Amino acid sequence: MYKNALCALPIMLAMASPALADPGQTPDEVLQALIDRSDSAYLTQSEQNLMMMQDEPSYWVIEQGEILFKEPRGPKKASLEQCDFGKGPGVLEGAYVEMPRYFADTGKVMDLESRLMHCMKTLQGFTDEDKAIKDKHGNTDLVKIQTFIAAKSNGMAWNPPMDHPLEKAMRGAGEEFFYRRAGVSDFACSTCHGATGKRIRASVLPNSSIPDEWTKAVSWPAFRVGHEAVRGSQHRVSECIWQMRQAEIVYGSEAAIAIIAYWTDKARGQPAILPDLKR
Amino acid sequence: MSEVKIRAALKDGKCEVKALLTHPMETGRRKDPAGNLIPAHHIQTVELLHNGNLMVEADWGGAISTNPFFSVSLNNVASGDTIEVRWVDNKGETSSGSVKVK
Amino acid sequence: MKPQQQRRLFIKGTLAGGAVVAAAGLGLIQPRLVLAAWPTDAFHSNSLEEALNKVFGSSTLEASDKVVLKAPGIAENGAVVPISINAEQLENVESISIFSEKNPTPLVARFKLKPGCVPEVSTRIKMGESGDVIAVVQAGGKLYSATTNVKVTVGGCGG
Amino acid sequence: MFNKTRIAALLAATLLPGVPASADKPTSAAQVDYTKMTPTELTEYLIFEANGFKLDQPAQEGKTARERMTQDELQKTCSALRGKPADAATAQKVAELARDSHVYPEGGIKLGDWKKGRGLAREGAGFRLGPKVDDNTKKLGGNCYACHQMDPKEITFGTIGPSLSGFGKLRGNTPETQKYVYDVVYNAHAYFPCTNMPRFGANGFLNKDQITDVMAYLLDPESPVNL
């Protein structure tokens, strides 16, 4: 118990810091508050996106996700309201900013997307072959539902638990992968996210070591303006690795979860922008 | 997939109406991967009605973005009023949606 | 707030659908006129001046700071450039129009506003290349305008 | 260092040989104790043994995605720095590896066509695997502008690498500069150990002729880079 209390201390400090935004804010207000106390060129680079954020197309995706979440669906005709995202069955407020986390029922560290698929299988009876799970990216059930769930953590500080040894192990592997150069271009995640204010073409890149800009980088789901679609964390992982000319990463794999575990930890204490809007 | 999504919110004495339409908005100048011109297919006229009264009539060309978004504001709107948005495109297709102001 | 979805098809310019027919019967709208009213010549004009003349019968604009035009100075994505125009400082605004000078056909949109509308509109437009965006507000028989330049650039990893 | 024997032992005790693990089923974590592995071991395990990547996909260089994920000596050595600058011993080792990789055109290095070089500097496609496999018959490029400023009139350029605007004007179009530029594009680690820059020649991203074209774009007095 004593040890647990010690572990909780830095978390409490983080929550007491001004980094924690007012949960009543909209995503654009959360971002504006970050911009007001930071000099990050990454946060302010796109006047276009800052304007568009005030009318995010993803607001409609949240509404669609809420309907899908509450509707009895699948062979078992059940809703997802009994799904445990880590804070107890049906508790969505603040659940996403505390993921990935260890789940005793699966014995695994899971991120939002893999946990959602798990509940759709166990509670609703869907299988990998069903459209509801098979269609990962785009205008899909998975994207709509995760956007609804994630929005319940808007403005809250990222706070993924690091109590279970597996949570630490996965974060450690994610960090290792972050620096792991491979493929025909010798790229690693750190190639683009290891320095401040650097640009790739016209885009300012976020530095993983600057938490108040990194929080925007890991704030998924986000509406990708160039894709005309809402994208999730798994999509971001996949697309970066694709641009890095490495192999195709498997959606929901533990490799992807490890990367997400590390990147979420690097934003610890900073308010999540959910849903965000990106280039 | 011709949804019309509308939000109408009373704020500072006026009603801000935001609408998101589903439409490809082809200009007629784009080419498909085989190099053939994709024919123009875009919304031409959008109407916004408040309790059945025409308030905004907009003419659009193909340079409005795909899946168009627009917002306008109205005075003299009360909670419970109906806001309707409808459009017609250059092929004569049409769609509409309505919402009650909260 | 759940939008009620309805879908109808135009058949030779005649609206099918009870609610709309009823509304037309009350003389509130005239659906048959809608298609005919779309100003084809104006939308097909390939110069700003010609487009202005076709829409307004005049290309004389009075630049005015009462027309507040907002657009991003740099747009990494020319396919969705957010534009917002506010003309609340002008009386009797009849319409707000958007032109993109470098587009092959500069007229983008025209919003005709009835009394009771607040003279402000926002939308998102396509721009093939960097150039001026011009907002034209028709009020009291005059044309007031505001102009801003938008640079269209490339972001991301490229390729 | 990643210990293959140790992973193999862990595997032998737990997993049936030849049965690929699924991403969704609680196989790996339940059966292999991740907490007993070092971060490096776990990372290698998640990539190669836990269905982390589609490893059997063919890659355009004639190998498979598995080889893409397998690190060579230089990649391993540089990854271990964790983003910090190379120490003297690492720098020496990496520079030697790089120098050994340089292959020059028959008949020596000659300036290529700066216009072709410009195309290669602008284009960024090529070598990407799933989910969208690049059509590698066209638009292949070095994507130099992603990281470098070159033609001063081009406004969208990256800053991960140094600006190369006016490079030829500054350095001169001498045989020595030509060899230097060729070497850097081919394998920059010879001069900048553990640089972020890809080994365009050594990794087969650009062929020798293409490298001389990029070289011309940087050095040719007619090239817009030097105007």
Side-chain angles (χ1 to χ4, degrees):
Chain A
M1 284 317 290
Y2 180 62
K3 196 181 159 196
N4 277 348
L6 272 182
C7 286
L9 190 60
I11 293 163
M12 287 170 65
L13 285 175
M15 288 180 68
S17 78
L20 184 65
D22 169 8
Q25 289 176 316
T26 54
D28 60 302
E29 289 166 347
V30 176
L31 176 58
Q32 191 55 53
L34 277 166
I35 289 170
D36 290 345
R37 63 175 166 82
S38 152
D39 56 0
S40 164
Y42 169 70
L43 295 179
T44 52
Q45 65 177 309
S46 178
E47 200 186 343
Q48 177 177 23
N49 292 353
L50 291 173
M51 272 183 84
M52 284 194 57
M53 249 187 113
Q54 292 165 26
D55 299 301
E56 276 205 53
S58 50
Y59 288 175
W60 279 286
V61 177
I62 295 172
E63 286 179 3
Q64 294 170 320
E66 181 170 11
I67 294 167
L68 288 170
F69 183 85
K70 293 179 173 167
E71 212 168 63
R73 301 174 74 223
K76 296 189 184 174
K77 301 253 180 297
S79 81
L80 286 166
E81 285 161 310
Q82 286 306 305
C83 183
D84 185 352
F85 289 95
K87 295 173 83 80
V91 181
L92 300 182
E93 270 73 19
Y96 176 51
V97 283
E98 295 184 23
M99 295 178 90
R101 70 154 68 222
Y102 174 77
F103 288 89
D105 58 357
T106 57
K108 295 173 88 169
V109 173
M110 302 171 97
D111 69 329
L112 173 60
E113 288 168 77
S114 52
R115 187 65 185 174
L116 176 58
M117 288 195 294
H118 170 79
C119 284
M120 289 168 76
K121 289 175 187 176
T122 54
L123 296 176
Q124 299 184 309
F126 285 116
T127 69
D128 285 326
E129 304 314 310
D130 288 317
K131 202 174 155 54
I133 287 184
K134 203 175 176 182
D135 295 350
K136 312 289 190 206
H137 308 300
N139 191 29
T140 62
D141 293 356
L142 280 176
V143 168
K144 291 171 190 169
I145 300 169
Q146 66 168 286
T147 306
F148 164 65
I149 297 166
K152 298 278 185 192
S153 288
N154 178 51
M156 298 183 191
W158 295 107
N159 188 21
M162 283 295 153
D163 304 321
H164 195 278
L166 264 180
E167 290 166 346
K168 289 180 190 144
M170 291 292 272
R171 183 213 174 277
E175 179 170 20
E176 185 77 15
F177 186 88
F178 186 85
Y179 291 103
R180 188 183 188 277
R181 302 179 66 167
V184 281
S185 298
D186 300 329
F187 289 151
C189 307
S190 59
T191 309
C192 284
H193 301 297
T196 303
K198 297 283 186 192
R199 287 204 316 260
I200 192 157
R201 282 272 172 167
S203 301
V204 182
L205 295 158
N207 184 349
S208 65
S209 298
I210 309 289
D212 61 8
E213 75 179 28
W214 189 244
T215 181
K216 177 168 165 62
V218 302
S219 285
W220 301 96
F223 183 79
R224 282 291 306 271
V225 178
H227 296 191
E228 290 169 10
V230 173
R231 303 297 197 189
S233 303
Q234 292 280 345
H235 187 274
R236 176 69 275 179
V237 170
S238 174
E239 204 192 22
C240 271
I241 292 172
W242 173 73
Q243 288 285 19
M244 283 154 67
R245 273 80 179 168
Q246 296 190 5
E248 180 180 355
I249 196 163
V250 174
Y251 180 99
S253 64
E254 289 182 300
I257 294 169
I259 294 164
I260 294 168
Y262 175 65
W263 87 21
T264 308
D265 188 52
K266 294 293 280 181
R268 180 178 297 282
Q270 298 299 320
I273 306 156
L274 297 168
D276 191 22
L277 180 141
K278 293 176 170 81
R279 184 179 63 78
Chain B
M1 281 305 290
S2 300
E3 291 171 282
V4 174
K5 297 166 186 159
I6 309 164
R7 293 167 163 269
L10 292 169
K11 202 175 156 188
D12 304 330
K14 58 187 183 184
C15 177
E16 193 176 35
V17 183
K18 298 175 178 188
L20 189 67
L21 317 179
T22 306
H23 202 282
M25 299 301 286
E26 285 295 349
T27 57
R29 283 185 299 273
R30 244 162 44 93
K31 285 181 179 166
D32 67 15
N36 306 311
L37 270 183
I38 302 171
H41 184 204
H42 60 80
I43 293 173
Q44 286 191 327
T45 302
V46 181
E47 293 176 332
L48 185 140
L49 298 92
H50 169 218
N51 289 341
N53 296 307
L54 182 65
M55 296 303 294
V56 180
E57 185 185 336
D59 293 325
W60 287 0
I64 290 287
S65 302
T66 306
N67 297 333
F69 165 86
F70 74 94
S71 94
V72 295
S73 292
L74 307 177
N75 291 316
N76 312 319
V77 175
S79 181
D81 287 2
T82 301
I83 301 290
E84 183 185 0
V85 172
R86 58 185 187 220
W87 56 256
V88 53
D89 71 16
N90 63 326
K91 292 184 178 178
E93 288 168 6
T94 179
S95 179
S96 74
S98 68
V99 72
K100 287 238 185 280
V101 180
K102 269 192 185 164
Chain C
M1 196 164 55
K2 301 264 154 48
Q4 298 151 4
Q5 299 301 334
Q6 291 173 301
R7 195 171 174 203
R8 291 186 290 269
L9 275 181
F10 249 88
I11 304 156
K12 302 254 176 203
T14 307
L15 271 176
V20 173
V21 172
L26 292 171
L28 297 172
I29 55 161
Q30 294 162 308
R32 283 174 155 276
L33 293 177
V34 164
L35 275 172
W38 193 71
T40 310
D41 287 355
F43 277 104
H44 288 178
S45 299
N46 43 32
S47 78
L48 178 63
E49 193 181 347
E50 188 192 336
L52 286 167
N53 277 318
K54 288 279 196 297
V55 181
F56 303 111
S58 162
S59 62
T60 310
L61 304 177
E62 183 183 324
S64 168
D65 56 11
K66 289 179 177 168
V67 178
V68 182
L69 166 64
K70 273 202 279 184
I74 293 175
E76 311 88 277
N77 191 331
V80 271
V81 182
I83 304 290
S84 83
I85 298 148
N86 183 308
E88 279 181 283
Q89 295 175 65
L90 291 171
E91 302 279 323
N92 304 319
V93 171
E94 295 148 43
S95 75
I96 297 178
S97 303
I98 302 167
F99 297 82
S100 170
E101 190 194 13
K102 288 281 180 67
N103 280 14
T105 51
L107 175 59
V108 176
R110 183 183 185 204
F111 293 83
K112 287 170 270 185
L113 310 176
K114 303 282 185 222
C117 286
V118 181
E120 60 177 0
V121 301
S122 299
T123 188
R124 290 161 192 167
I125 72 168
K126 294 176 198 163
M127 293 180 69
E129 56 179 309
S130 304
D132 281 348
V133 172
I134 302 117
V136 179
V137 176
Q138 196 178 18
K142 287 185 78 172
L143 300 176
Y144 301 92
S145 72
T147 300
T148 189
N149 189 267
V150 176
K151 267 196 171 60
V152 179
T153 66
V154 185
C157 307
Chain D
M1 279 308 290
F2 168 52
N3 184 335
K4 272 201 176 109
T5 335
R6 192 167 155 198
I7 294 281
L10 281 165
L11 280 174
T14 52
L15 288 177
L16 290 170
V19 178
S22 152
D24 309 321
K25 288 173 195 130
T27 46
S28 38
Q31 293 166 28
V32 182
D33 190 350
Y34 290 180
T35 64
K36 297 275 196 304
M37 296 183 188
T38 66
T40 313
E41 286 169 352
L42 179 53
T43 304
E44 301 300 311
Y45 180 79
L46 295 180
I47 294 171
F48 293 105
E49 309 293 342
N51 192 25
F53 288 82
K54 297 182 181 169
L55 298 170
D56 297 326
Q57 190 171 7
Q60 73 177 91
E61 62 272 25
K63 298 173 185 169
T64 65
R66 182 179 299 276
E67 277 83 27
R68 288 276 183 98
M69 297 312 292
T70 306
Q71 291 179 298
D72 68 12
E73 194 56 29
L74 184 141
Q75 289 170 333
K76 256 187 225 176
T77 309
C78 292
S79 300
L81 295 172
R82 297 279 177 119
K84 291 182 201 65
D87 54 274
T90 305
Q92 196 188 345
K93 178 184 165 189
V94 168
E96 266 169 37
L97 282 170
R99 279 194 292 273
D100 289 347
S101 77
H102 284 131
V103 176
Y104 300 96
E106 283 176 38
I109 299 167
K110 291 191 189 75
L111 220 53
D113 178 344
W114 69 259
K115 284 179 185 153
K116 284 187 192 163
R118 176 174 62 187
L120 292 164
R122 286 176 174 168
E123 296 300 347
F127 289 92
R128 285 176 296 206
L129 291 171
K132 281 181 288 176
V133 182
D134 275 338
D135 174 1
N136 296 306
T137 57
K138 54 186 176 189
K139 270 186 39 172
L140 191 81
N143 207 8
C144 312
Y145 276 104
C147 297
H148 294 284
Q149 182 176 28
M150 299 177 99
D151 178 348
K153 288 193 193 72
E154 172 66 58
I155 57 163
T156 53
F157 56 87
T159 58
I160 295 174
S163 169
L164 303 171
S165 280
F167 189 87
K169 216 161 42 179
L170 231 65
R171 303 287 188 103
N173 183 19
T174 64
E176 292 74 25
T177 324
Q178 289 182 10
K179 179 177 182 298
Y180 172 74
V181 172
Y182 184 93
D183 281 354
V184 169
V185 177
Y186 198 95
N187 187 344
H189 294 265
Y191 298 89
F192 311 104
C194 294
T195 173
N196 282 325
M197 181 161 163
R199 292 169 283 174
F200 288 102
N203 278 348
F205 215 109
L206 298 175
N207 63 34
K208 286 174 273 188
D209 289 341
Q210 289 171 321
I211 294 176
T212 60
D213 291 337
V214 171
M215 201 173 86
Y217 187 49
L218 284 170
L219 295 177
D220 196 316
E222 302 291 309
S223 160
V225 170
N226 297 313
L227 294 180

mmCIF file of all heavy atoms in Angstrom, chain D residues 31-50:
data_model
loop_
_atom_site.group_PDB
_atom_site.id
_atom_site.type_symbol
_atom_site.label_atom_id
_atom_site.label_comp_id
_atom_site.label_asym_id
_atom_site.label_seq_id
_atom_site.Cartn_x
_atom_site.Cartn_y
_atom_site.Cartn_z
ATOM 1 N N GLN D 31 1.517 -16.391 -22.308
ATOM 2 C CA GLN D 31 2.389 -17.552 -22.326
ATOM 3 C C GLN D 31 3.870 -17.210 -22.220
ATOM 4 O O GLN D 31 4.655 -18.005 -21.737
ATOM 5 C CB GLN D 31 2.124 -18.353 -23.597
ATOM 6 C CG GLN D 31 0.722 -18.960 -23.566
ATOM 7 C CD GLN D 31 0.297 -19.453 -24.920
ATOM 8 O OE1 GLN D 31 1.137 -19.821 -25.740
ATOM 9 N NE2 GLN D 31 -0.990 -19.471 -25.176
ATOM 10 N N VAL D 32 4.237 -16.030 -22.717
ATOM 11 C CA VAL D 32 5.628 -15.612 -22.617
ATOM 12 C C VAL D 32 5.661 -14.460 -21.630
ATOM 13 O O VAL D 32 4.857 -13.552 -21.721
ATOM 14 C CB VAL D 32 6.145 -15.131 -23.990
ATOM 15 C CG1 VAL D 32 7.602 -14.733 -23.892
ATOM 16 C CG2 VAL D 32 5.943 -16.209 -25.030
ATOM 17 N N ASP D 33 6.571 -14.528 -20.678
ATOM 18 C CA ASP D 33 6.583 -13.463 -19.664
ATOM 19 C C ASP D 33 7.366 -12.257 -20.159
ATOM 20 O O ASP D 33 8.595 -12.232 -20.115
ATOM 21 C CB ASP D 33 7.176 -14.006 -18.361
ATOM 22 C CG ASP D 33 6.974 -13.017 -17.216
ATOM 23 O OD1 ASP D 33 6.561 -11.862 -17.500
ATOM 24 O OD2 ASP D 33 7.214 -13.407 -16.057
ATOM 25 N N TYR D 34 6.622 -11.247 -20.628
ATOM 26 C CA TYR D 34 7.252 -10.037 -21.165
ATOM 27 C C TYR D 34 8.072 -9.315 -20.099
ATOM 28 O O TYR D 34 9.033 -8.620 -20.418
ATOM 29 C CB TYR D 34 6.182 -9.064 -21.688
ATOM 30 C CG TYR D 34 5.469 -9.510 -22.949
ATOM 31 C CD1 TYR D 34 4.470 -8.711 -23.513
ATOM 32 C CD2 TYR D 34 5.799 -10.695 -23.598
ATOM 33 C CE1 TYR D 34 3.807 -9.087 -24.666
ATOM 34 C CE2 TYR D 34 5.136 -11.085 -24.748
ATOM 35 C CZ TYR D 34 4.142 -10.276 -25.279
ATOM 36 O OH TYR D 34 3.484 -10.640 -26.414
ATOM 37 N N THR D 35 7.646 -9.476 -18.853
ATOM 38 C CA THR D 35 8.322 -8.699 -17.806
ATOM 39 C C THR D 35 9.717 -9.244 -17.502
ATOM 40 O O THR D 35 10.508 -8.596 -16.837
ATOM 41 C CB THR D 35 7.495 -8.674 -16.509
ATOM 42 O OG1 THR D 35 7.405 -10.008 -15.995
ATOM 43 C CG2 THR D 35 6.085 -8.147 -16.766
ATOM 44 N N LYS D 36 10.011 -10.448 -18.014
ATOM 45 C CA LYS D 36 11.349 -11.031 -17.805
ATOM 46 C C LYS D 36 12.312 -10.657 -18.926
ATOM 47 O O LYS D 36 13.473 -11.022 -18.902
ATOM 48 C CB LYS D 36 11.259 -12.567 -17.728
ATOM 49 C CG LYS D 36 10.438 -13.092 -16.559
ATOM 50 C CD LYS D 36 11.275 -13.191 -15.289
ATOM 51 C CE LYS D 36 10.607 -14.051 -14.223
ATOM 52 N NZ LYS D 36 9.243 -13.599 -13.862
ATOM 53 N N MET D 37 11.795 -9.968 -19.948
ATOM 54 C CA MET D 37 12.648 -9.613 -21.086
ATOM 55 C C MET D 37 13.195 -8.194 -20.920
ATOM 56 O O MET D 37 12.569 -7.343 -20.294
ATOM 57 C CB MET D 37 11.832 -9.641 -22.389
ATOM 58 C CG MET D 37 11.284 -10.990 -22.772
ATOM 59 S SD MET D 37 10.448 -10.802 -24.384
ATOM 60 C CE MET D 37 9.690 -12.408 -24.540
ATOM 61 N N THR D 38 14.333 -7.940 -21.537
ATOM 62 C CA THR D 38 14.816 -6.559 -21.628
ATOM 63 C C THR D 38 13.948 -5.847 -22.673
ATOM 64 O O THR D 38 13.309 -6.512 -23.504
ATOM 65 C CB THR D 38 16.279 -6.505 -22.104
ATOM 66 O OG1 THR D 38 16.330 -6.976 -23.454
ATOM 67 C CG2 THR D 38 17.189 -7.352 -21.218
ATOM 68 N N PRO D 39 13.920 -4.497 -22.647
ATOM 69 C CA PRO D 39 13.140 -3.780 -23.668
ATOM 70 C C PRO D 39 13.523 -4.191 -25.088
ATOM 71 O O PRO D 39 12.667 -4.332 -25.957
ATOM 72 C CB PRO D 39 13.471 -2.310 -23.402
ATOM 73 C CG PRO D 39 13.798 -2.262 -21.945
ATOM 74 C CD PRO D 39 14.485 -3.572 -21.647
ATOM 75 N N THR D 40 14.821 -4.394 -25.329
ATOM 76 C CA THR D 40 15.263 -4.787 -26.671
ATOM 77 C C THR D 40 14.704 -6.153 -27.032
ATOM 78 O O THR D 40 14.186 -6.355 -28.134
ATOM 79 C CB THR D 40 16.802 -4.831 -26.743
ATOM 80 O OG1 THR D 40 17.307 -3.642 -26.146
ATOM 81 C CG2 THR D 40 17.286 -4.949 -28.161
ATOM 82 N N GLU D 41 14.788 -7.085 -26.102
ATOM 83 C CA GLU D 41 14.267 -8.427 -26.378
ATOM 84 C C GLU D 41 12.772 -8.390 -26.659
ATOM 85 O O GLU D 41 12.285 -9.022 -27.598
ATOM 86 C CB GLU D 41 14.526 -9.349 -25.167
ATOM 87 C CG GLU D 41 15.970 -9.764 -25.029
ATOM 88 C CD GLU D 41 16.248 -10.445 -23.686
ATOM 89 O OE1 GLU D 41 15.356 -10.459 -22.810
ATOM 90 O OE2 GLU D 41 17.371 -10.951 -23.532
ATOM 91 N N LEU D 42 12.059 -7.626 -25.838
ATOM 92 C CA LEU D 42 10.611 -7.568 -26.019
ATOM 93 C C LEU D 42 10.260 -6.927 -27.364
ATOM 94 O O LEU D 42 9.368 -7.389 -28.079
ATOM 95 C CB LEU D 42 9.956 -6.794 -24.860
ATOM 96 C CG LEU D 42 8.431 -6.649 -24.935
ATOM 97 C CD1 LEU D 42 7.738 -8.002 -25.114
ATOM 98 C CD2 LEU D 42 7.885 -5.945 -23.689
ATOM 99 N N THR D 43 10.985 -5.867 -27.725
ATOM 100 C CA THR D 43 10.724 -5.211 -29.006
ATOM 101 C C THR D 43 10.929 -6.188 -30.163
ATOM 102 O O THR D 43 10.078 -6.306 -31.056
ATOM 103 C CB THR D 43 11.656 -3.991 -29.181
ATOM 104 O OG1 THR D 43 11.462 -3.122 -28.069
ATOM 105 C CG2 THR D 43 11.340 -3.242 -30.453
ATOM 106 N N GLU D 44 12.048 -6.898 -30.145
ATOM 107 C CA GLU D 44 12.311 -7.867 -31.215
ATOM 108 C C GLU D 44 11.239 -8.948 -31.230
ATOM 109 O O GLU D 44 10.776 -9.381 -32.290
ATOM 110 C CB GLU D 44 13.700 -8.506 -31.049
ATOM 111 C CG GLU D 44 14.861 -7.515 -31.050
ATOM 112 C CD GLU D 44 14.968 -6.705 -32.338
ATOM 113 O OE1 GLU D 44 14.929 -7.308 -33.420
ATOM 114 O OE2 GLU D 44 15.092 -5.463 -32.249
ATOM 115 N N TYR D 45 10.808 -9.343 -30.053
ATOM 116 C CA TYR D 45 9.767 -10.370 -29.961
ATOM 117 C C TYR D 45 8.450 -9.864 -30.550
ATOM 118 O O TYR D 45 7.798 -10.564 -31.329
ATOM 119 C CB TYR D 45 9.566 -10.787 -28.495
ATOM 120 C CG TYR D 45 8.510 -11.847 -28.326
ATOM 121 C CD1 TYR D 45 8.797 -13.190 -28.588
ATOM 122 C CD2 TYR D 45 7.224 -11.501 -27.951
ATOM 123 C CE1 TYR D 45 7.820 -14.157 -28.476
ATOM 124 C CE2 TYR D 45 6.234 -12.464 -27.832
ATOM 125 C CZ TYR D 45 6.537 -13.797 -28.095
ATOM 126 O OH TYR D 45 5.563 -14.748 -27.991
ATOM 127 N N LEU D 46 8.087 -8.627 -30.187
ATOM 128 C CA LEU D 46 6.811 -8.076 -30.686
ATOM 129 C C LEU D 46 6.847 -7.893 -32.199
ATOM 130 O O LEU D 46 5.833 -8.052 -32.877
ATOM 131 C CB LEU D 46 6.494 -6.741 -30.000
ATOM 132 C CG LEU D 46 6.237 -6.791 -28.489
ATOM 133 C CD1 LEU D 46 5.926 -5.396 -27.948
ATOM 134 C CD2 LEU D 46 5.109 -7.761 -28.132
ATOM 135 N N ILE D 47 8.025 -7.583 -32.732
ATOM 136 C CA ILE D 47 8.127 -7.389 -34.185
ATOM 137 C C ILE D 47 8.101 -8.737 -34.916
ATOM 138 O O ILE D 47 7.357 -8.919 -35.878
ATOM 139 C CB ILE D 47 9.428 -6.633 -34.556
ATOM 140 C CG1 ILE D 47 9.397 -5.194 -34.011
ATOM 141 C CG2 ILE D 47 9.640 -6.616 -36.078
ATOM 142 C CD1 ILE D 47 10.727 -4.459 -34.137
ATOM 143 N N PHE D 48 8.909 -9.672 -34.433
ATOM 144 C CA PHE D 48 9.144 -10.883 -35.237
ATOM 145 C C PHE D 48 8.338 -12.108 -34.804
ATOM 146 O O PHE D 48 8.169 -13.038 -35.584
ATOM 147 C CB PHE D 48 10.637 -11.230 -35.228
ATOM 148 C CG PHE D 48 11.479 -10.221 -35.949
ATOM 149 C CD1 PHE D 48 12.261 -9.307 -35.253
ATOM 150 C CD2 PHE D 48 11.474 -10.170 -37.339
ATOM 151 C CE1 PHE D 48 13.024 -8.376 -35.918
ATOM 152 C CE2 PHE D 48 12.242 -9.236 -38.018
ATOM 153 C CZ PHE D 48 13.018 -8.329 -37.309
ATOM 154 N N GLU D 49 7.860 -12.134 -33.563
ATOM 155 C CA GLU D 49 7.218 -13.362 -33.081
ATOM 156 C C GLU D 49 5.755 -13.185 -32.701
ATOM 157 O O GLU D 49 5.033 -14.163 -32.562
ATOM 158 C CB GLU D 49 7.976 -13.901 -31.846
ATOM 159 C CG GLU D 49 9.472 -14.033 -32.019
ATOM 160 C CD GLU D 49 9.862 -15.098 -33.034
ATOM 161 O OE1 GLU D 49 9.013 -15.962 -33.345
ATOM 162 O OE2 GLU D 49 11.010 -15.047 -33.524
ATOM 163 N N ALA D 50 5.303 -11.960 -32.467
ATOM 164 C CA ALA D 50 3.953 -11.765 -31.921
ATOM 165 C C ALA D 50 2.997 -11.166 -32.953
ATOM 166 O O ALA D 50 2.074 -10.438 -32.595
ATOM 167 C CB ALA D 50 4.022 -10.884 -30.674
#
